[in-house]
Amino acid sequence: MNTQEAISKRRTFGIISHPDAGKTTLTEKLLLFGGAIQTAGAVKNNKIKKTATSDFMEIEKQRGISVATSVMAFEYKGKQINILDTPGHKDFAEDTYRTLTAVDSVILVIDCANGVESQTEKLMEVCRMRDTPVIVFINKLDRYGIDPFDLLDEIEEKLNIRVCPLAWPIGMGDEFQGVYNIYEKSLSLFQANKTSISEELVKFDNIDDPNLDEIVGEKAANELREEIALIEGVYDTFQREDYLSGEVAPVFFGSAVNNFGVKELLNGFIEISPAPIGRTTNQGYIAPEEEKFSGFVFKIHANLDPNHRDRIAFLRIVSGKFERNKFYKHVRLDKKLKFPNPTSFMAKDKSVIDEAFPGDVVGLYDTGNFKIGDTLTEGADFLFAGIPSFSPEIFQELRNDDPMKSKQLDKGIRQLIDEGVAQLFIQEPGSRKIVGTVGQLQFDVILYRLTHEYGAKCSFTPLPYHKACWVTGEDKQALETFKRAKTGNLANDKEGNLVFLAETPFLLEMAERDYPDLTFHKTSDFKLKQKG
Ligand code: G4P
């Protein structure tokens, strides 16, 4: 296959949602359609349970399973679909943010009863940073939920994106009769059905067709006509370019658990979603069609076996063709590396691949060469514009409980940070190690792994910080004054950037007000802008 053909065939995306909205269920139904799995439940078992907070082995086991399903690929209507799995557990949100840099579009699942939830807003913020195209799937229509018009208003308002319904539900909960496809003028009738993938489809010439009254009843048919007229009046006609530029999100409705509306979603997705797109580097934009290979690491997974400390680095291919056993340049280390066993991760099993194309994700066995965000090229020196870190939400001091084991602790924490498990800040003077994460679960994982994999002896002490902001400023004197005034609240991140640790939102606001010449960044993205 030539690279151009491979690019036009591929669709690489992620499914995101607030926990419990139905991401896992939808993923599973899509895989059933694509024939990648045969039975329901295969993906579900991979989910990190909400109750797992204290069960380390369970976490580790599930992390292991999730390697195998990190990328789920299947063919559908001549396209190769790559679904990149994103952890549902909120404590692993940082993982999800990073995975979003490796996709070309997303499907956002919203529970029709809960509407836009906190995690939905955060995830969308990340999508908006890169103008990632978004399709919205409103799920659980078999239950009573928020009125669809109100829901669309809420999405527009809270997620800061315009919407365009491509389908419309007829009723909800017990009265849910099906979904009218505005584009194809067809009606899918709802049947609660958890296994079959067939759907009854009725086509109409136009919405005034009297058959509609016969099928759904006169009242529902008239309501639908009114609603469609309203939609046509309120929302602009769908333009694919607006979706591709991240300005408009097309909306579908359904019930994932009942396998309803999933096929429409998939068909719509195939039709409009983007083929692999390029990425920005410190030397400009790299298009997927570029002849020479390039890619970046967006995720690193440690081996489960503590005796083998090798890891798997997940590489998203941006341009050209990746080949097994060919030497590539690790730009940060200025080192040539080749990979005898690059792996593709299918839902069914792992297999060694000989070549891969833009949009694909390959797993590279790594003995410690990679960090999150690293670039591989065929010789060029550019670096992909990195992966942002967000301010952590929980901070704890990492204490060494055995001075004889400080080497183990240093090495362990450094490697875990490279994997992106948490962020590390070093406070001067005294070299106090402050670990920041987005969830409590991370501390359990870190402690467990430092003890079991690295033989360190350590503990965590909670710290009262609320946020860590990266501080920059042109005005050297203002920066020095700030540093003198805030000595106790300053630290450096792993690259030596200055970080301000604020105890409360108020203290952060005060600092922003008192030092107007300085900028307080909530994500590390400013580094990209500085690199240019
Ligand atoms: P998540 O990955 O986004 O966290 O959500 P997940 O798919 O696990 O779904 C969360 C719960 O919502 C599950 O129920 C699932 O069965 C249910 N669900 C998903 N889609 C629909 C739908 O269309 N309608 C209804 N009524 N429920 C839906 P659970 O009780 O947590 O798990 P289970 O025992 O049913 O597997």
Side-chain angles (χ1 to χ4, degrees), residues 17 20 22-25 44 47 139-140 142-143 255-257:
S17 77
D20 267 350
K23 180 181 81 73
T24 315
T25 314
K44 194 104 204 161
K47 202 171 148 179
N139 191 28
K140 306 198 185 180
D142 58 314
R143 289 198 182 157
S255 169
V257 79

Side-chain angles (χ1 to χ4, degrees), residues 417-479:
I417 298 301
D418 285 353
E419 274 176 38
V421 177
Q423 292 182 55
L424 181 68
F425 305 103
I426 306 287
Q427 198 166 32
E428 302 293 350
S431 299
R432 188 153 85 132
K433 289 188 177 69
I434 298 177
V435 174
T437 70
V438 286
Q440 185 57 42
L441 189 52
Q442 245 75 346
F443 291 104
D444 300 342
V445 172
I446 294 170
L447 215 50
Y448 180 86
R449 291 188 55 194
L450 285 175
T451 314
H452 288 81
E453 286 174 37
Y454 296 91
K457 249 187 131 188
C458 52
S459 53
F460 280 112
T461 324
L463 294 171
Y465 301 123
H466 149 77
K467 265 211 160 62
C469 292
W470 288 266
V471 187
T472 56
E474 297 279 310
D475 184 341
K476 290 236 157 49
Q477 201 168 354
L479 207 53

Side-chain angles (χ1 to χ4, degrees), residues 354-394:
D354 289 319
E355 52 183 32
F357 297 95
D360 286 342
V361 170
V362 289
L364 306 175
Y365 286 94
D366 172 40
T367 47
N369 284 314
F370 286 115
K371 278 188 193 183
I372 297 261
D374 276 345
T375 302
L376 271 189
T377 68
E378 225 171 295
D381 271 328
F382 60 76
L383 289 163
F384 282 102
I387 295 185
S389 302
F390 291 80
S391 170
E393 284 159 26
I394 308 177

